[in-house]
Amino acid sequence: MKKSTSKFDKVLNSSRQFGKVNHEPDSSKEIQINTPEKTMPFSDQIGNYQRNKGIPSKSFDNSKIYIVGSGIAGMAAAYYFIRDGHIPGKNIIFLDQLHVEGGSLDGAGNAKEGYIIRGGREMDMTYENLWDLFQDIPALELPAPYSVLDEYRLVNDNDPNYSKSRLIHKQGQVQDFSKFGIEKKDQLAIIKLLLKKKEELDDLTIEDYFNDSFLNSNFWYFWRSMFAFENWHSLLELKLYMHRFLHAIDGMKDFSCLVFPKYNQFDSFVTPLKNFLVDKGVQIQFNTLVEDLDIQISGTTKVVQHILTKQDGKTVKIAVGPEDFVIATTSSMTESTFYGTNDTAPNITIDNKSGSESDGWKLWKNLATKSDVFGRPHKFYSDIKKSSWESATLTCRPSAFVEKLKELCVNDPYSGNTATGGIITITDSNWLMSFTCNRQPHFPTQPDDILVIWVYSLFMDKKGNHVQKTMPECTGNEILSELCYHLGISDQLDNVIENTIVRSSFMPYITSMFMPRAQGDRPRVVPEGCTNLGLVGQFVETNNDVVFTMESSVRTARIAVYELLNLNKQVPDINPLQYDIRHLLKATQALNDYKPFLGEGFLRKILKGTYFEHILVERKEEKEEHESFLTEQLSKLKDWIGTFRN
């Protein structure tokens, strides 16, 4: 690329910054002050200035890119190698042990045999990297020149998402979900957690920190069921989530903070992205298990020289040239899934010992033996009991269940509009069962009289309230029986079973990335000393982003590409709304259920009639003025001063 920038040689040759970009700036450590040395945007400075095209320092036309895993992280890496690295698509090849692309973003089946989606992704408008990617990927159904982002906006701008039945109990009765119900001491604990440094929270669990009053609050029902947190999961990850979604906390009760695609995650995102990459010449090689990387280590420098694969039962070694790069997904949250049907429970033949030998963990385990910079995978795969849960996909013809579902939906589920608006959680369920009906059809070719419903439960070790088994022990029909009991339609179970196909999925590692961790347990995206290797997905370390989102997968891919190619581009840190006084105040009011917080009355007095008076939420139903002690004393002081004027 020297020729491309030759007209700028005088500037570049005299620059102290050229080629020294911090590709992953950290907003939690950066002091935002302008100096002569500050030439790049601040760490979380979101905006069009970040949309510059990357200019590689040299041509990579002859470089080959090997990407292990064709999930969203790997596919995003391919996109950024093409867009920002200017690498020809034909030079990029995926190596995947599966037989279909998409990784954990699945969506398959048909109306006759039943559809299946192992999980879903709740989406946020602040996913800057995800939308950076999909603003350029051609839409699934809109004509050119429209993108996936355009399609997404068209649906969500015109069909608001919210729930009218977020919590239910007592055989299908809607439970009051208007309040978080957090005690003052627990609100203070949340504030203290936000103030703590990340380094203080190594290996701590949520239940190590929070009291039972917090863990039994409505807030925790909302949070844990929405994000799939367990009490024994990482306190550090919970803290990161609270920072990441601070701006959305007030909308978590009714899901008005969320946006959803028209179809399932595979058809909405994987299919159009795969089509784009294949059109660019990218190759996808399935049924290829990558077991290890042959890495030459010299001092702190680490260079991948060969990729060791298993293809059709044979070991095949792929040479990696001096100009080539390797991107590897370290593991998968849906590794070793076990499936069930209406008449069968998942045949779970895995435990902690055998699970550690599964194919999905081999590459990371082998890398970890070579150097500490590759992390400690055993922290994440060693306790299946604490990292698993089960989901079930229901393919429903009209039935008593569908009629009950209609009562809980915002719109008729057959209308194509928002249905439940997100998961409905059954608070008195021993399994802590939740279910959701997204916009229908959920699959492009789904028949008009079919609904696709997703069900999952967090508590795997408890027997059901009605079916005296744990969920993994249950057949699909028994799962229906438990669900119908909680909906108050047990007397119509035969009708529901007759018209519902169930495909269940037990996932041993679905929340393994939430397991308590310490610094160094997860490798960095480009581990120290690696010159041609990037690690992506849900098991690598970023500065401040969370796991279990499509955004974090795309972020890791983007960091890997920019760092390995040393592009003059940064990956901005998470959206800076956590520092915005408006969202801090809004979150404070929401967590206190809009009752006056300490000093609120005084603050309202100061802001009243000023440019900033709108930053406090004004609730119409709470017109009564609540004054703090400080406000009352200020009023008395004004009256006292008035006596001298008279």
Side-chain angles (χ1 to χ4, degrees):
M1 288 293 170
K2 188 71 173 174
K3 185 176 180 180
S4 300
T5 59
S6 60
K7 295 289 186 180
F8 298 85
D9 282 349
K10 288 183 179 180
V11 173
L12 300 181
N13 291 337
S14 63
S15 172
R16 288 177 293 177
Q17 284 85 12
F18 185 56
K20 299 177 182 178
V21 177
N22 177 7
H23 299 96
E24 188 188 6
D26 186 350
S27 65
S28 70
K29 292 184 170 59
E30 180 184 52
I31 298 175
Q32 297 205 0
I33 183 170
N34 287 297
T35 66
E37 292 76 28
K38 182 60 182 173
T39 59
M40 299 290 281
F42 292 122
S43 52
D44 53 6
Q45 191 169 320
I46 308 298
N48 287 332
Y49 193 71
Q50 297 275 29
R51 287 180 50 78
N52 63 299
K53 292 181 172 61
I55 304 176
S57 58
K58 63 177 183 178
S59 171
F60 293 99
D61 285 352
N62 297 319
S63 295
K64 288 186 177 180
I65 310 296
Y66 298 96
I67 300 178
V68 181
S70 63
I72 187 66
M75 297 177 82
Y79 167 80
Y80 284 112
F81 272 121
I82 293 170
R83 190 193 79 175
D84 292 331
H86 310 301
I87 292 176
K90 62 183 176 62
N91 293 12
I92 301 174
I93 182 169
F94 282 94
L95 305 172
D96 200 315
Q97 65 171 321
L98 302 177
H99 65 281
V100 63
E101 68 280 349
S104 298
L105 295 182
D106 59 356
N110 54 62
K112 182 178 180 181
E113 298 167 316
Y115 294 97
I116 188 165
I117 37 177
R118 286 178 290 185
R121 301 293 174 268
E122 292 154 336
M123 312 289 286
D124 188 87
M125 298 177 189
T126 65
Y127 285 179
E128 304 296 341
N129 295 288
L130 182 75
W131 303 130
D132 177 83
L133 165 63
F134 281 106
Q135 69 181 338
D136 292 329
I137 302 302
L140 182 70
E141 294 180 327
L142 285 174
Y146 297 108
S147 71
V148 171
L149 175 58
D150 298 326
E151 211 162 45
Y152 201 97
R153 288 290 305 267
L154 186 64
V155 171
N156 284 280
D157 290 355
N158 294 284
D159 181 25
N161 189 82
Y162 66 98
S163 170
K164 73 173 191 179
S165 311
R166 175 65 182 90
L167 303 178
I168 63 172
H169 64 167
K170 298 179 180 178
Q171 280 69 59
Q173 296 180 36
V174 176
Q175 186 175 342
D176 181 13
F177 59 94
S178 62
K179 291 180 171 55
F180 283 137
I182 314 175
E183 294 183 9
K184 284 285 193 292
K185 64 178 181 179
D186 296 321
Q187 294 179 41
L188 182 59
I190 292 173
I191 294 171
K192 287 181 177 179
L193 179 61
L194 291 170
L195 293 174
K196 284 184 179 295
K197 290 190 173 182
K198 293 175 287 185
E199 294 77 13
E200 300 176 41
L201 306 178
D202 282 1
D203 288 324
L204 290 178
T205 68
I206 294 164
E207 59 193 354
D208 286 335
Y209 181 80
F210 283 106
N211 293 321
D212 287 344
S213 56
F214 173 82
L215 299 175
N216 291 317
S217 67
N218 264 7
F219 176 86
W220 190 234
Y221 273 116
F222 295 134
W223 190 283
R224 75 183 318 173
S225 56
M226 178 179 178
F227 294 122
F229 272 100
E230 303 276 19
N231 293 358
W232 52 79
H233 282 155
S234 167
L235 180 63
L236 171 58
E237 193 62 32
L238 175 61
K239 171 185 168 64
L240 293 175
Y241 260 76
M242 285 184 168
H243 286 278
R244 184 72 175 81
F245 297 108
L246 181 78
H247 63 279
I249 281 179
D250 63 316
M252 287 183 181
K253 295 192 293 290
D254 64 359
F255 287 139
S256 57
C257 59
L258 298 180
V259 284
F260 287 99
K262 181 182 179 184
Y263 297 123
N264 66 84
Q265 57 202 3
F266 184 85
D267 287 301
S268 295
F269 299 108
V270 175
T271 296
L273 181 53
K274 187 265 308 232
N275 291 342
F276 172 87
L277 295 175
V278 170
D279 286 346
K280 293 291 185 181
V282 172
Q283 306 165 64
I284 305 178
Q285 182 175 312
F286 294 119
N287 302 311
T288 300
L289 172 64
V290 176
E291 295 185 308
D292 200 2
L293 301 177
D294 175 18
I295 299 179
Q296 182 184 48
I297 299 178
S298 178
T300 59
T301 302
K302 304 169 185 68
V303 183
V304 179
Q305 295 188 314
H306 296 91
I307 302 172
L308 308 180
T309 72
K310 186 83 72 175
Q311 303 177 33
D312 298 323
K314 299 178 182 178
T315 299
V316 178
K317 183 184 286 190
I318 301 173
V320 178
E323 298 293 315
D324 300 340
F325 297 94
V326 177
I327 300 293
T329 309
T330 46
S331 188
S332 169
M333 67 181 79
T334 51
E335 168 65 23
S336 302
T337 300
F338 296 88
Y339 299 98
T341 66
N342 282 72
D343 301 314
T344 63
N347 183 23
I348 303 169
T349 57
I350 194 171
D351 55 28
N352 292 337
K353 186 176 185 304
S354 61
S356 67
E357 301 301 320
S358 61
D359 289 344
W361 295 99
K362 279 185 180 178
L363 175 57
W364 190 9
K365 282 182 61 179
N366 287 330
L367 287 176
T369 64
K370 304 178 196 301
S371 171
D372 289 342
V373 302
F374 294 116
R376 306 176 186 93
H378 68 274
K379 293 287 286 286
F380 304 94
Y381 65 64
S382 60
D383 197 341
I384 289 173
K385 183 178 179 181
K386 292 185 175 181
S387 64
S388 61
W389 46 257
E390 183 175 359
S391 71
T393 310
L394 314 183
T395 302
C396 305
R397 294 187 299 274
S399 70
F401 169 67
V402 171
E403 291 306 307
K404 181 62 180 180
L405 180 69
K406 288 180 180 180
E407 298 176 17
L408 303 172
C409 286
V410 172
N411 299 295
D412 187 317
Y414 294 105
S415 68
N417 293 324
T418 293
T420 60
I423 58 171
I424 295 172
T425 297
I426 306 168
T427 59
D428 54 359
S429 162
N430 287 350
W431 295 349
L432 195 56
M433 177 185 272
S434 298
F435 61 97
T436 182
C437 178
N438 291 315
R439 293 185 182 98
Q440 303 290 316
H442 202 46
F443 290 81
T445 59
Q446 183 178 319
D448 292 341
D449 64 336
I450 295 292
L451 297 179
V452 176
I453 312 299
W454 186 75
V455 180
Y456 97 108
S457 296
L458 273 179
F459 296 165
M460 293 289 94
D461 59 339
K462 297 182 182 299
K463 293 183 179 180
N465 303 72
H466 183 63
V467 178
Q468 292 299 299
K469 296 180 180 180
T470 65
M471 187 176 178
E473 293 173 333
C474 288
T475 65
N477 288 343
E478 289 171 328
I479 292 172
L480 284 180
S481 179
E482 183 73 11
L483 178 58
C484 287
Y485 166 77
H486 284 294
L487 292 175
I489 54 172
S490 289
D491 58 335
Q492 301 178 78
L493 177 61
D494 289 344
N495 170 262
V496 175
I497 289 176
E498 182 182 354
N499 290 287
T500 309
I501 301 172
V502 183
R503 298 183 66 178
S504 56
S505 308
F506 178 84
M507 295 165 282
Y509 306 109
I510 188 62
T511 55
S512 54
M513 58 280 175
F514 281 174
M515 295 297 283
R517 67 177 187 272
Q519 294 181 71
D521 288 344
R522 301 191 310 197
R524 300 298 301 190
V525 174
V526 178
E528 181 184 0
C530 291
T531 62
N532 66 345
L533 172 64
L535 304 178
V536 297
Q538 300 297 317
F539 296 91
V540 293
E541 196 69 62
T542 60
N543 291 331
N544 296 300
D545 213 345
V546 299
V547 294
F548 214 4
T549 67
M550 289 175 63
E551 167 71 0
S552 55
S553 288
V554 178
R555 175 181 294 279
T556 61
R558 204 174 177 189
I559 292 170
V561 173
Y562 291 7
E563 184 73 23
L564 290 174
L565 302 186
N566 195 22
L567 297 178
N568 62 318
K569 278 182 73 72
Q570 296 170 307
V571 180
D573 208 337
I574 65 172
N575 197 292
L577 294 178
Q578 61 170 317
Y579 300 112
D580 189 325
I581 187 64
R582 295 168 298 180
H583 290 284
L584 286 167
L585 286 172
K586 182 184 70 171
T588 300
Q589 289 183 277
L591 290 173
N592 198 38
D593 289 326
Y594 298 99
K595 293 177 288 190
F597 59 83
L598 184 63
E600 180 181 338
F602 183 54
L603 183 58
R604 287 190 183 278
K605 289 281 188 182
I606 292 175
L607 298 179
K608 188 171 180 59
T610 74
Y611 178 81
F612 297 101
E613 70 176 343
H614 66 286
I615 66 176
L616 279 168
V617 174
E618 191 70 57
R619 286 293 183 185
K620 292 180 180 179
E621 64 270 21
E622 295 188 6
K623 295 251 183 185
E624 182 182 351
E625 184 177 1
H626 299 277
E627 292 189 330
S628 67
F629 174 78
L630 185 57
T631 306
E632 292 173 2
Q633 299 310 308
L634 180 62
S635 178
K636 291 178 181 179
L637 179 62
K638 287 181 178 178
D639 291 342
W640 181 71
I641 293 173
T643 62
F644 288 94
R645 291 177 179 169
N646 295 332

